[in-house]
Amino acid sequence: MYCPNCGTPIPDGGVCPNCSQGEPETVKAEKINKEPDKKLGHKYGKLSEISTGSKNYSALLSAFLVFPAAIVTAIDLSFHRYDFWFGYVVGALAVVWIIFVLPALKLFPPAANALISFAAVMGYASFIMYKTGHLEWIYRQALPLFVLFAIFVALDVLLISYKKVSWLTVLSAVSCEAGVYLVAIEATHKGGFTSLRWSPILAAGFISVAAVLLAFAYVGRNNNSSNNGNNN
C-alpha cells in the first residue's frame, strides 16, 4: 500500500511516516488543539508563567515595603492610644505596592491594573480627607489634583503593563504628565489659568524632555527593527 499523498510505502491501515496521511482523526484533533496554545502568550493569573526576574523584583520590593510599615505601626500603637497616624504611612506603602509590584505579577490584564491603581490612589485620597477633617478645603482644591494624579498613575501603569512599550516611552509620558501637573497645581492655587506665572515655563521644559525621550524611543525601535530584518 502506498500513501495517496506522497507515494511513500506504508502498511495496510497505517500512517504515512512522511506526511502523516491517514492519521486517525483523534490524533489530528490533538495536534490542532495544541497549536493555538503556542499563540496565546501569557495567561494572566498564573504565577507559574511569570519570569524569574519579575518574581525576584516583586519579592524584594515587597520585603522592603513590609519593614517600614511594621516599624511605624509598632511605634504608633506603642506610644499612642487614639488618633493613630500610621495609616498615612501604611496606606502610602500599599499604594506603592499596587502601582509598582502588582503589574509585575501579571495577575490581571493591563487595563485592570490601571483601574486598580486609580482606585488605590483615590482610596488613599479619601482616607486623607477623612482623617484631616478639612473636607471643604480639600474638596475645593486638593481633590481635583488627587483625581488628576490618579488618572496619570493609571495611564503609566497601563503603559508599563504592555511589554511592547519601552521604558523611554514611559518616562516620556511621565515627564509630560509632570509638566501638566505643575500647571494644574498653580491653576488650582490661583483659582484659574489666567494668572499663571512659573508653571508654564517648567511645563515647557518637561514637555521638551518628553519629546526628546520619545524621539530616542522611536529611533531605538527603528534600529531594532532594522537589526532583526538584517538577521533574518
Side-chain angles (χ1 to χ4, degrees), residues 50-110:
I50 301 175
S51 65
T52 302
S54 296
K55 289 180 179 179
N56 294 340
Y57 160 79
S58 301
L60 290 174
L61 185 54
S62 298
F64 280 119
L65 293 178
V66 168
F67 177 73
I71 290 295
V72 297
T73 301
I75 293 174
D76 199 17
L77 293 178
S78 298
F79 293 96
H80 299 88
R81 293 295 179 267
Y82 57 90
D83 195 20
F84 298 107
W85 54 264
F86 71 91
Y88 294 106
V89 178
V90 175
L93 294 175
V95 172
V96 169
W97 188 90
I98 291 173
I99 294 174
F100 292 100
V101 177
L102 189 61
L105 295 177
K106 299 188 183 302
L107 298 177
F108 308 101

Side-chain angles (χ1 to χ4, degrees), residues 1-231:
M1 180 178 178
Y2 295 91
C3 175
N5 186 46
C6 64
T8 302
I10 58 176
D12 293 340
V15 178
C16 176
N18 187 35
C19 64
S20 299
Q21 184 69 21
E23 191 170 14
E25 293 298 326
T26 54
V27 178
K28 288 183 180 179
E30 290 178 359
K31 288 188 175 182
I32 293 174
N33 291 333
K34 290 180 180 178
E35 288 300 323
D37 293 340
K38 300 178 181 179
K39 301 178 181 180
L40 289 177
H42 180 85
K43 295 181 180 178
Y44 295 102
K46 289 193 174 183
L47 295 176
S48 59
E49 294 191 7
I50 301 175
S51 65
T52 302
S54 296
K55 289 180 179 179
N56 294 340
Y57 160 79
S58 301
L60 290 174
L61 185 54
S62 298
F64 280 119
L65 293 178
V66 168
F67 177 73
I71 290 295
V72 297
T73 301
I75 293 174
D76 199 17
L77 293 178
S78 298
F79 293 96
H80 299 88
R81 293 295 179 267
Y82 57 90
D83 195 20
F84 298 107
W85 54 264
F86 71 91
Y88 294 106
V89 178
V90 175
L93 294 175
V95 172
V96 169
W97 188 90
I98 291 173
I99 294 174
F100 292 100
V101 177
L102 189 61
L105 295 177
K106 299 188 183 302
L107 298 177
F108 308 101
N113 286 330
L115 290 176
I116 294 172
S117 300
F118 178 84
V121 174
M122 292 307 303
Y124 184 62
S126 300
F127 171 77
I128 292 177
M129 288 188 289
Y130 170 76
K131 291 291 289 184
T132 55
H134 305 295
L135 297 181
E136 183 179 353
W137 175 83
I138 291 180
Y139 281 137
R140 187 176 63 253
Q141 293 192 5
L143 183 58
L145 295 177
F146 272 124
V147 173
L148 184 61
F149 179 74
I151 292 174
F152 285 159
V153 167
L155 177 60
D156 296 335
V157 170
L158 185 64
L159 292 175
I160 293 172
S161 298
Y162 283 108
K163 289 184 177 181
K164 294 183 179 180
V165 177
S166 66
W167 279 102
L168 287 176
T169 302
V170 175
L171 292 177
S172 175
V174 171
S175 181
C176 186
E177 292 163 1
V180 174
Y181 201 74
L182 289 174
V183 173
I185 291 176
E186 187 178 13
T188 302
H189 177 69
K190 294 185 176 180
F193 293 93
T194 57
S195 302
L196 298 178
R197 292 290 183 270
W198 54 268
S199 61
I201 300 174
L202 294 177
F206 277 105
I207 292 174
S208 299
V209 172
V212 172
L213 292 173
L214 195 60
F216 274 109
Y218 175 77
V219 171
R221 186 167 58 251
N222 284 342
N223 289 338
N224 290 334
S225 300
S226 299
N227 293 333
N228 292 333
N230 294 333
N231 292 334

